[in-house]
């Protein structure tokens, strides 16, 4: 069966510090991978998605970046965090195109102070 | 630009009664619609979906209705149970890799 792992679960970082959130998927090949963010009181905002190794599509301009160094690994990064980067970050995966049923990880709570 | 809208941020319903959650969309290219359920500090879990070729899909206590002409869908939960208390997200996609989500509706089921 497929599983998705996301870490760390909770992170408190000072403004200006770097960020690295990691996500891995097991039990499937060539998944579509996604990073979403849920800000306080808001819905799920798509940040990045990837349909293959090294292929990253950015949905929202910001100081975050994403990388996919391996087929089932997706990393969300920042060189310098802003206060507005605080939120709940969710990694997800799917297969195919069109009828997207995304499976989400447990999420990472980021607080920038 | 919010293409999927859930205009009711919260809903309170008595246990055993029906919960009705509403969702509107603006993009006429959307052809697949999903509902997700989310508990605090957890990732959303898939609940039910519907293709644009249908107007109703039922799975146990959950039924989704789609009105394409009105660009509106709704989720009915009957009967509502305490474990249904969660945030419900409506989502939509066209023939691509992305899901657009609404802002969510927090459902509270009262005993």
């Amino acid at each position: 069966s497929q599983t998705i792992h996301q870490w760390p679960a909770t992170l408190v970082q000072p403004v200006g510090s770097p960020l690295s959130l990691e996500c891995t998927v097991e039990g499937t090949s060539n998944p579509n991978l996604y990073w979403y963010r849920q800000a306080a009181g808001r819905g799920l905002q798509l940040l990045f998605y990837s349909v293959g190794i090294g292929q990253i599509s950015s949905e929202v301009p910001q100081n975050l970046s994403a990388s996919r160094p391996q087929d089932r690994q997706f990393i969300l990064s920042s060189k310098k965090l802003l206060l507005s980067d605080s939120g709940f970050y969710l990694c997800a995966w799917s297969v195919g195109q069109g009828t997207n049923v995304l499976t989400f990880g447990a999420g990472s709570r980021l607080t920038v102070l | 630009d919010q293409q999927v809208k859930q205009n009711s941020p919260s809903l309170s319903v008595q246990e055993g009664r029906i919960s009705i959650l509403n969702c509107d969309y603006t993009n006429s290219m959307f052809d697949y619609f999903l509902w997700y359920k989310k508990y605090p500090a957890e990732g959303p879990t898939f609940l039910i979906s519907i293709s644009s070729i249908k107007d109703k899909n039922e799975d146990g206590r959950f039924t989704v209705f789609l009105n394409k002409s009105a660009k509106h869908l709704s989720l009915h939960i009957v009967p509502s149970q305490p474990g249904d208390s969660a945030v419900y997200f409506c989502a939509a996609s066209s023939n691509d890799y992305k899901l657009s989500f609404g802002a969510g509706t927090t459902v509270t089921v009262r005993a």
Side-chain angles (χ1 to χ4, degrees):
Chain A
S1 63
Q2 301 91 355
T3 56
I4 179 169
H5 303 280
Q6 186 180 339
W7 69 93
T10 305
L11 198 59
V12 180
Q13 292 285 100
V15 170
S17 64
L19 171 73
S20 181
L21 300 179
E22 191 164 340
C23 172
T24 60
V25 179
E26 296 177 0
T28 187
S29 296
N30 196 30
N32 305 318
L33 296 173
Y34 306 81
W35 279 110
Y36 279 84
R37 177 172 62 198
Q38 183 185 17
R42 301 185 65 181
L44 301 177
Q45 181 185 35
L46 178 61
L47 302 176
F48 301 95
Y49 70 96
S50 170
V51 300
I53 295 175
Q55 300 179 57
I56 309 294
S57 296
S58 174
E59 289 294 298
V60 182
Q62 58 217 324
N63 72 321
L64 299 172
S65 62
S67 62
R68 184 171 178 172
Q70 299 180 43
D71 180 45
R72 290 168 291 173
Q73 184 184 28
F74 206 24
I75 298 172
L76 183 69
S77 304
S78 174
K79 292 182 179 178
K80 289 185 178 182
L81 284 168
L82 306 173
L83 286 174
S84 58
D85 291 324
S86 293
F88 193 55
Y89 289 82
L90 291 155
C91 180
W93 71 272
S94 72
V95 293
Q97 177 182 351
T99 56
N100 274 322
V101 178
L102 270 60
T103 301
F104 285 87
S108 298
R109 169 71 61 193
L110 171 65
T111 303
V112 183
L113 302 175
Chain B
D1 181 30
Q2 194 81 5
Q3 299 186 78
V4 179
K5 299 179 182 179
Q6 294 176 257
N7 293 319
S8 297
S10 63
L11 172 69
S12 180
V13 63
Q14 194 168 6
E15 182 179 1
R17 298 293 188 98
I18 184 172
S19 294
I20 299 177
L21 292 82
N22 293 304
C23 177
D24 297 291
Y25 61 97
T26 58
N27 189 341
S28 58
M29 298 301 291
F30 287 149
D31 58 5
Y32 193 68
F33 304 89
L34 308 90
W35 285 94
Y36 279 80
K37 177 180 180 179
K38 182 182 181 301
Y39 293 117
E42 295 183 8
T45 55
F46 170 70
L47 195 56
I48 192 169
S49 64
I50 188 167
S51 165
S52 60
I53 62 174
K54 294 185 176 181
D55 55 17
K56 177 183 175 181
N57 188 26
E58 190 172 354
D59 183 3
R61 296 185 298 114
F62 303 91
T63 303
V64 57
F65 296 91
L66 175 63
N67 183 333
K68 290 187 292 295
S69 61
K71 293 191 178 68
H72 177 83
L73 63 155
S74 61
L75 174 68
H76 293 206
I77 307 174
V78 183
S80 299
Q81 299 175 353
D84 296 331
S85 295
V87 179
Y88 290 79
F89 290 100
C90 173
S93 73
S94 55
N95 188 28
D96 60 15
Y97 300 97
K98 301 179 290 185
L99 278 185
S100 296
F101 284 84
T105 297
T106 301
V107 173
T108 303
V109 180
R110 310 185 309 272

